[in-house]
Amino acid sequence: MEHLTLRTPDDWHLHLRDGAMLRAVLPWTAAHFARAIIMPNLVPPVVTGADAAAYRARILAALPDGAEFTPLMTLYLTEDTDPDDVAAAHESGLITAVKLYPAGATTNSASGVSDLAKVQGVLERMAEIGLPLCVHGEVTDPSVDIFDREAAFIDRVLDPLRRRLPDLRVVLEHITTSQGVDYVKAHDAGLGGTITTHHLVINRNHILAGGIRPHYYCLPVAKREEHRLALRAAATSGDARFFLGTDSAPHTDPAKLQPCGCAGCFTAPNTMPVLAHVFEEEIALDRLEAFASLNGPAFYGVAPNDGTLTLERGAPDLPPQIDTGDGAVTVFDPGFTPRWRVTARSAG
Ligand code: NCD
Ligand code: ZN
């Protein structure tokens, strides 16, 4: 097989940042993806409908001429979030989801939620109106080992939350463990799981063995090989509950390469080549479209894109870094040369 054509994919978990960084990274996503769920963890965060409307306008203004890309906005849930504001933003079509960051779990999560009881009213309202909650699934208890924080979150927070609010639609974002895969598989269509590009490729050895590699450091941190294999099996299974959320999270090299460096992998430019490579290795190229283009829309209750993206056999021609005006951002290095490159996108 020399060509691969699929419905234009969407990215159901993306960090675009703001200002010069936004202008530098957005074209890479808009080139291959028709829509993306935009994470709200700016400084200050995107908390209200008015914040989301203003951020959406900045994103649209930063799009290259002729780009066909729709940002799907999210609100950053805080303990002061007003249920009426959330409902109005949903009603007007402005937002697609609300994001739960446990306070302190990751980059710019300080304004997140410490006590879920304080957001019960918002969550009840979301369950009523069918607005999904995207969850950063890691406990923040410092006594829990960082490699166990996702599994602990499922037991301590996610499962009780879903029992309290069985009608709330939930996406367990960027799952990194077999426990995450198993939990999503054990439940119905009201629970989805996004999987990133990089967690299909790296395990924790890539970060730590033979020297420390800050560009592979992200949150949730990559786990043991057995977990990477569970994620590959889930992503390539065709199971509609699993879909692509790249978690492409650009930080400049100076911000990553320091004694306390930032978490995040910038995968927007090479996600589709890397995914095609991975799916071919798993003898599942015929399921790439489900993972990247069909399962996400089905979960969010929207139609898949009409257009198509075509990949051709051959190495992609991508820069190792992009310049942002704020500093260079390193493109995720999968450790192999992808066997596929993107060659065309049609509007459909
Ligand atoms: C994200 C970021 O930099 O905003 N970082 C990351 O490692 N994934 C935050 C997040 O999604 O946890
Ligand atoms: Zn993220």
Side-chain angles (χ1 to χ4, degrees):
M1 199 160 125
E2 296 305 310
H3 288 89
L4 177 63
T5 295
L6 51 152
R7 296 255 198 166
T8 310
D10 301 303
D11 183 350
W12 299 95
H13 182 130
L14 175 68
H15 299 271
L16 284 178
R17 318 301 190 201
D18 217 337
M21 179 75 93
L22 165 64
R23 287 189 291 277
V25 300
L26 176 60
W28 293 97
T29 288
H32 296 174
F33 298 89
R35 298 171 289 202
I37 289 253
I38 311 303
M39 288 294 133
N41 62 333
L42 304 182
V43 187
V46 179
V47 173
T48 64
D51 296 340
Y55 187 29
R56 183 170 181 279
R58 297 199 296 280
I59 294 168
L60 294 177
L63 272 174
D65 285 345
E68 289 189 29
F69 176 76
T70 305
L72 303 175
M73 307 310 292
T74 60
L75 297 184
Y76 182 120
L77 184 61
T78 74
E79 293 181 0
D80 299 319
T81 292
D82 172 6
D84 290 338
D85 183 58
V86 171
H90 167 70
E91 181 70 24
S92 71
L94 174 64
I95 61 165
T96 300
V98 171
K99 178 69 189 262
L100 167 65
Y101 289 104
T106 187
T107 312
N108 303 332
S109 60
S111 323
V113 177
S114 303
D115 180 1
L116 269 177
K118 298 202 171 124
V119 295
Q120 176 73 13
V122 184
L123 299 179
E124 281 170 6
R125 189 71 167 274
M126 289 170 58
E128 254 170 59
I129 63 180
L131 178 60
L133 181 71
C134 295
V135 176
H136 183 107
E138 289 190 288
V139 293
T140 54
D141 178 347
S143 72
V144 177
D145 189 275
I146 188 167
F147 293 101
D148 298 331
R149 286 181 184 183
E150 181 173 293
F153 182 89
I154 292 168
D155 292 343
R156 292 187 194 178
V157 183
L158 182 61
D159 194 56
L161 169 74
R162 297 195 62 253
R163 284 173 198 276
R164 279 198 305 280
L165 290 156
D167 295 334
L168 181 64
R169 298 177 62 69
V170 175
V171 185
L172 184 55
E173 300 286 299
H174 42 49
I175 50 178
T176 58
T177 58
S178 61
Q179 289 92 337
V181 168
D182 291 345
Y183 188 79
V184 171
K185 274 210 284 211
H187 294 81
D188 59 20
L191 178 67
T194 55
I195 301 178
T196 76
T197 317
H198 47 286
H199 289 116
L200 296 173
V201 174
I202 60 166
N203 63 33
R204 64 196 203 178
N205 283 4
H206 292 90
I207 313 170
L208 296 170
I212 188 158
R213 291 185 181 74
H215 290 301
Y216 290 147
Y217 174 61
C218 65
L219 288 171
V221 71
K223 310 293 193 299
R224 288 177 180 275
E225 177 65 357
E226 69 199 54
H227 297 290
R228 185 184 74 98
L229 296 178
L231 295 169
R232 279 172 85 111
T236 59
S237 67
D239 186 323
R241 290 167 293 193
F242 297 104
F243 44 94
L244 174 64
T246 66
D247 196 15
S248 181
H251 293 278
T252 63
D253 287 356
K256 285 198 70 77
L257 307 177
Q258 54 169 309
C260 184
C262 293
C265 298
F266 178 53
T267 54
N270 59 358
T271 276
M272 291 315 298
V274 169
L275 287 181
H277 185 107
V278 165
F279 275 64
E280 185 169 46
E281 277 181 349
E282 298 290 329
I283 321 190
L285 263 184
D286 57 331
R287 300 201 183 127
L288 178 57
E289 185 178 49
F291 180 66
S293 315
L294 303 178
N295 296 349
F299 180 88
Y300 279 96
V302 294
N305 298 307
D306 286 331
T308 58
L309 191 73
T310 297
L311 295 94
E312 203 176 84
R313 195 168 287 289
D317 182 18
L318 288 169
Q321 284 155 347
I322 65 159
D323 191 24
T324 68
D326 280 346
V329 172
T330 292
V331 176
F332 174 68
D333 174 5
F336 53 79
T337 303
R339 289 184 214 129
W340 294 90
R341 60 173 176 241
V342 175
T343 51
R345 176 162 165 199
S346 84

